[in-house]
Amino acid sequence: MTAYLRSKLVPDRPTMVSVHGRAEVGRIAPTDPARALALAHTIPDAWYRAQALSCVAEHARESSIGSIAGQAIAAAYDCSDAYNTVAVMSWPLRAAWSRGRQAYARAELDRVLRLAPEVEPLASRIFALNCLWSGRNAADDAFAEPIWQAILRLCNPDHHWRAARLYRHIAEVREQRQAGSAASVIAAMPEGKAKAALARRFKLA
């Protein structure tokens, strides 16, 4: 996943304290999650703080997982715009899911998807949803399904080349996982040039 996504509405670059802080948290979290948590709290940029706290949640003791994952989600919502929030939420969702908090992760996924229509311009919305889908599809097909449905609603593949590429990526990933699965992706697409091109690519036309 891209380390930092910056929308046109956010002119400021992250501080190096945030960049190095997240890297250090990732280094020490597996062996010293308590120290990693303290360091994560000092990271000023919300994007990096959300990532760092998510990393800690993946290694924290069982009794602390919910609290730390909640802090990571709160940091994601502290980001300066919907684009960054939707994109970086892949991190805490992955952490919560991997540590057995599936119901919590699903509820938070539903909440962040309600924010997705606010992401502008369209290219940013596509990329943010791509981040969510790629991270969640790797964990569980069913968990990724609401994101796929949001992509269908919000990212017409004939309205932007990035959307067409995203549909192709999803079709390729599903086809690789199970032969013939690309057909269901193509069938769900709206009629148009992107659908026809993808059908030809998979020899379905």
Side-chain angles (χ1 to χ4, degrees):
M1 179 177 175
T2 302
Y4 179 66
L5 302 177
R6 185 163 61 94
S7 81
K8 294 177 180 178
L9 301 176
V10 187
D12 296 330
R13 293 190 177 277
T15 64
M16 293 310 296
V17 170
S18 292
V19 176
H20 294 310
R22 187 197 59 182
E24 181 65 6
V25 167
R27 188 184 71 81
I28 66 176
T31 57
D32 194 348
R35 187 158 67 95
L37 178 61
L39 177 58
H41 285 152
T42 69
I43 294 175
D45 292 286
W47 170 276
Y48 283 90
R49 190 166 65 254
Q51 292 176 335
L53 287 165
S54 299
C55 184
V56 177
E58 291 179 346
H59 299 284
R61 65 179 185 272
E62 186 70 20
S63 61
S64 300
I65 296 168
S67 172
I68 299 172
Q71 293 172 41
I73 289 168
Y77 280 93
D78 280 343
C79 286
S80 51
D81 63 10
Y83 169 50
N84 286 280
T85 294
V86 173
V88 82
M89 272 292 288
S90 179
W91 288 65
L93 290 176
R94 179 185 63 207
W97 183 270
S98 68
R99 294 301 304 273
R101 303 307 195 270
Q102 282 86 359
Y104 179 54
R106 288 180 188 277
E108 289 300 332
L109 174 60
D110 290 343
R111 180 162 74 114
V112 79
L113 284 176
R114 291 195 291 271
L115 187 63
E118 299 180 20
V119 179
E120 296 290 350
L122 178 59
S124 296
R125 184 187 307 155
I126 295 162
F127 200 91
L129 287 170
N130 185 17
C131 289
L132 275 182
W133 186 87
S134 295
R136 303 294 38 85
N137 183 68
D140 184 88
D141 285 341
F143 194 13
E145 182 61 22
I147 308 169
W148 167 235
Q149 295 302 319
I151 291 168
L152 286 171
R153 292 193 309 272
L154 302 173
C155 305
N156 188 304
D158 287 318
H159 292 176
H160 200 287
W161 66 267
R162 289 185 184 276
R165 187 176 66 179
L166 175 55
Y167 280 80
R168 185 182 69 207
H169 170 65
I170 293 172
E172 290 171 346
V173 169
R174 290 192 172 177
E175 183 70 17
Q176 185 176 26
R177 183 171 292 175
Q178 183 177 352
S181 295
S184 64
V185 174
I186 296 166
M189 294 171 65
E191 296 297 331
K193 292 181 178 180
K195 180 174 183 174
L198 203 53
R200 290 193 299 271
R201 183 182 182 90
F202 284 92
K203 298 180 171 56
L204 297 173

